[in-house]
Amino acid sequence: MKKGKAKAKAGGKKAPKEEKEVAAEGEDWLGEASDDEDRIVDSDEDSDAATGVADEGSEEEDDDGGDEVDDDGEAGALAVRDDDDDGGEVRHKSKVLSRVISGEQPADLSAIKQRIHDAAALLSNWRKAKQLGDKRTREEVLSGLVGDCSTYFGYSEELAEYFLRMFAPEQAIQFFEANEKSRPLTIRTNSLKARRQSLMQSLTARKVQVDPIGAWTKVGLKVYESAVPVGATPEYLGGQYMIQSASSFVPVMALAPQMNETVLDMAAAPGGKTTYIGQLMKNTGTLFANDLRKERCKALVANVHRMGLTNVIVTCMDGKKLGGMLPRLDRVLLDAPCSGSGIIARDPSVKVKRGTKDFEETSRLQKELLNTAIDMVDANSKTGGYIVYSTCSVSVEENEAVVEHALKTRSVELVSSARR
C-alpha cells in the first residue's frame, strides 16, 4: 500500500506509565526477538503479587514488565489496603529503614530526612547557597543528596542519581516518597456482562466495600475492604469484572477503538487491556491479541473466554515479526515491555535491579516494536490510523526517545487523544 501520513495521538497515564499515540503506515519492518526477559517488565502484567490476588488471569495492571506483569494469578486471597488522599499507608522498603525499625541499627533518620529536604531546597534555589555562605559546589551537594536518598529510600546510587537529574530535586523527592505508599486495589466492570451499579450491589452483598474510582472512568471501582477473595467471587468467575490497575485503563481510552474495526494489542497478556478493547468494540470487528510467551498466552485466552469476548484472535509470536502476517489495521495498542521504573510502589526490587543500561537496552527493543506497529497500520483507514504507545516506565530512554525515533524514521505525527 502507498505510504501516507498517519495520525498519531499523545496521551498520558498516571506517573507509573507514560504513553504516546502514533499513527502511521508504511512497509513492514522485521526485527529479531530479545531473550533477555529478566530485564523486561510487561506493562500488562499487573500486581497480583502486590495485591494478594491469585487468579488464573486477572490483570491488575495490565499495567504496566516484556514483559511486565499485569494481573494474572490463580484464585486466592486478597489483602486490601486502605487508600486515602494522602496515598495510603507508607511501606518502608529501604533496607536501612528496615534495620532501624527492627532495632538492628541505630540511626538518626530524621537527620537524614532533613538533609535530603535541605539539599533539595538548596539545589532548587542555588543563589541561596551563596547567600548562606555554603562553599560546596553544586555537584558536591548533589552527590551528598544522592547518597542520602539511596540510604533513606533504598535505591541504588545509580538509579537515585538518574531520577535526581531527570526531575527537579524537590520533584524527585516527591517521586521517591510517593513510591513508598501503597496503591488501592481496583477493578474494571465488564459492560458486556454487567453494569457498574449492579456489580457494586452484588459485591456489597458479599461484604466487599467498593466505590467508583472517579468521574474520568465509567467502569472502574476501587476496593477498600473485602471479606472474600476478590479474585474468586462468582461475579469474577462469571466475567463481570477484571482486576486491573486504574492507570492501565488509560491507554485503551486513548486508543478509543470503534465498532467493526480491525485492532491489534501487540503485547497483550494477561489480557486486561485486550478485554477492555473488546468491550469497547462491543464484540464486533476483529481484535488480534499477541504475546511472545506461550505460558502467558494461557492466561490471556482464559481471560478472553471468562470475559465473554467472541471477536478475539490470540497469537503467540515475536511482535517484531508480525508485519506482513496480519491484515492492515485500523488501530494498534503497544503497551511495550519495559524496565518497570514507574511501578516501584508495586515492585520495590526495581530500586536496585534497574539502571541506565536497562533503560537503553529496553529502548532498543521498544523502538523496533513501535516501528513495526506503525508499519502495520493503515494510514488511509476511514475510522482509525492510530497507534497508542505506553509503558510503565518513567525513563526518558523508554518514552520520549522512543517516540522521537518513530517521528524521525516513519511518516507519523503526534495528535491529542481528544482528536480521535
Side-chain angles (χ1 to χ4, degrees), residues 33 45 135 143 174 180 218 248 254 265-266 291 377 392 409 418:
E45 197 172 317
K135 297 182 179 180
S143 178
Q174 292 173 0
E180 300 301 307
K218 297 179 180 179
S248 69
D265 186 351
M266 204 167 179
D291 202 86
V377 169
C392 55
T409 59

Side-chain angles (χ1 to χ4, degrees), residues 270-388:
K273 297 182 185 71
T274 297
T275 53
Y276 193 12
I277 292 171
Q279 174 179 324
L280 294 177
M281 293 172 70
K282 298 182 180 179
N283 262 340
T284 64
T286 303
L287 172 55
F288 293 97
N290 179 73
D291 202 86
L292 174 63
R293 291 186 285 172
K294 186 176 180 179
E295 63 274 16
R296 284 172 57 81
C297 284
K298 293 178 182 178
L300 172 59
V301 171
N303 275 321
V304 166
H305 285 302
R306 183 174 62 83
M307 302 295 277
L309 296 179
T310 58
N311 63 340
V312 177
I313 298 173
V314 175
T315 59
C316 182
M317 297 182 62
D318 178 356
K320 301 191 299 296
K321 297 180 179 179
L322 285 174
M325 296 185 180
L326 299 179
R328 302 299 284 177
L329 304 167
D330 296 301
R331 299 173 196 250
V332 174
L333 171 62
L334 173 55
D335 187 45
C338 67
S339 66
S341 63
I343 56 168
I344 292 172
R346 194 182 78 200
D347 183 7
S349 68
V350 172
K351 292 180 177 183
V352 293
K353 260 193 340 187
R354 307 300 185 200
T356 54
K357 182 179 178 182
D358 300 287
F359 301 156
E360 292 166 359
E361 290 183 358
T362 308
S363 178
R364 287 194 288 271
L365 170 63
Q366 292 162 339
K367 289 172 183 176
E368 294 176 13
L369 288 170
L370 181 54
N371 277 0
T372 303
I374 291 170
D375 292 343
M376 290 190 290
V377 169
D378 182 3
N380 297 315
S381 168
K382 293 181 180 179
T383 60
Y386 294 102
I387 299 104
V388 169

Side-chain angles (χ1 to χ4, degrees), residues 40 85 92 131 164 183 188 210 249 266 291-292 331 401:
I40 299 177
D85 292 338
H92 296 287
Q131 296 172 358
L164 284 165
R183 301 294 187 265
R188 172 178 55 80
V210 294
F249 297 1
M266 204 167 179
D291 202 86
L292 174 63
R331 299 173 196 250

